[in-house]
Amino acid sequence: GQQVVKIVHEELITLLGEPARLNLDGPSPRVIMLIGLQGAGKTTMAAKLALTLRKSGQRPLLVAADTQRPAAIAQLQTLGKQIDVPVHVEDVSVPPPEICARAVTHALDKAYTTVILDTAGRLHIDDDLMRELEQIKAKTKPREILLVADAMTGQDAVRVADEFNKRVGLTGLILTKVDGDARGGAALSIRAVTSVPIKFLGVGEKTDAIEPFH
């Protein structure tokens, strides 16, 4: 019995892969793009990442690129104030690819080292919104494109991750709400389908409730 458990355990570790860190190579500012479905926790995760980066000596800039949901912009501004990280905000009439491109230029001027793009939640079947992500990617050349997935979404997350990966090419995953009951069953499936590493886990509401995946 113990032998079976040991074999399964080793296989799971192999499947989940080595822990991977953020890729912050290359010239500043490095762009990190957060994408995913609505309600996955992208806006909160953007602030958590910004705080983590600031603690490691980076100068992050948050970008409110979710013009679909004005509440998301206000939420990001509130979180930015809490953690003392500036937030780049423009009028909701400006197309998100433009907002992101200008934010990167602004970051270059002001010597911010990382730019975190909080994009609108979207369904993987919404062609217009998926095209918008492709445009943001083309204009900002992100070092990281991270899919923020709710650990409770179950197997639905697999189709979503696969589609996002095909359209924009993911570099990593962040699982949120891992402190819930579901315990991230989708993690294995998403990892198997996309072959990209899980980089962080969100483990609660607070801005420091984030841990590197291990």
Side-chain angles (χ1 to χ4, degrees):
Q2 285 176 330
Q3 198 59 33
V4 172
V5 170
K6 179 175 178 286
I7 291 167
V8 172
H9 184 254
E10 283 167 2
E11 282 300 316
L12 287 176
I13 288 176
T14 306
L15 177 58
L16 284 166
E18 286 297 305
R21 297 294 157 254
L22 284 179
N23 174 10
L24 298 176
D25 297 340
S28 289
R30 295 98 174 177
V31 177
I32 299 169
M33 183 172 163
L34 299 185
I35 64 177
L37 299 179
Q38 265 164 340
K42 277 185 306 304
T43 304
T44 313
M45 185 49 70
K48 289 179 180 185
L49 267 184
L51 185 60
T52 302
L53 288 168
R54 209 193 65 210
K55 283 177 178 169
S56 68
Q58 298 280 337
R59 291 193 68 224
L61 173 69
L62 285 162
V63 181
D66 182 354
T67 55
Q68 303 281 319
R69 200 169 64 92
I73 297 172
Q75 185 189 356
L76 196 63
Q77 286 176 305
T78 304
L79 289 166
K81 273 203 190 77
Q82 278 173 19
I83 60 173
D84 195 25
V85 168
V87 180
H88 181 88
V89 176
E90 296 195 24
D91 194 88
V92 290
S93 62
V94 181
E98 295 300 321
I99 294 174
C100 294
R102 290 211 281 257
V104 173
T105 306
H106 173 68
L108 200 57
D109 290 347
K110 300 282 188 234
Y112 292 111
T113 59
T114 45
V115 177
I116 300 169
L117 309 177
D118 178 30
T119 67
R122 64 202 70 217
L123 284 168
H124 54 296
I125 49 178
D126 187 329
D127 201 48
D128 288 348
L129 283 176
M130 291 303 279
R131 237 194 334 273
E132 182 182 280
L133 284 184
E134 290 168 343
Q135 290 165 355
I136 292 173
K137 179 184 176 181
K139 282 180 183 288
T140 63
K141 309 274 188 296
R143 305 288 316 159
E144 291 274 11
I145 300 177
L146 303 175
L147 177 70
V148 180
D150 180 339
M152 301 192 203
T153 42
Q155 297 312 310
D156 227 22
V158 179
R159 269 199 310 283
V160 172
D162 192 32
E163 206 48 47
F164 274 107
N165 197 27
K166 282 178 184 152
R167 292 294 292 260
V168 289
L170 303 174
T171 61
L173 307 167
I174 297 179
L175 283 185
T176 59
K177 308 178 193 174
V178 180
D179 49 326
D181 296 337
R183 290 279 176 251
L188 283 170
S189 316
I190 296 177
R191 171 86 178 104
V193 164
T194 60
S195 302
V196 300
I198 300 167
K199 299 205 171 183
F200 290 99
L201 300 177
V203 288
E205 287 295 304
K206 295 195 173 72
T207 45
D208 58 357
I210 179 175
E211 49 192 54
F213 176 74
H214 198 287

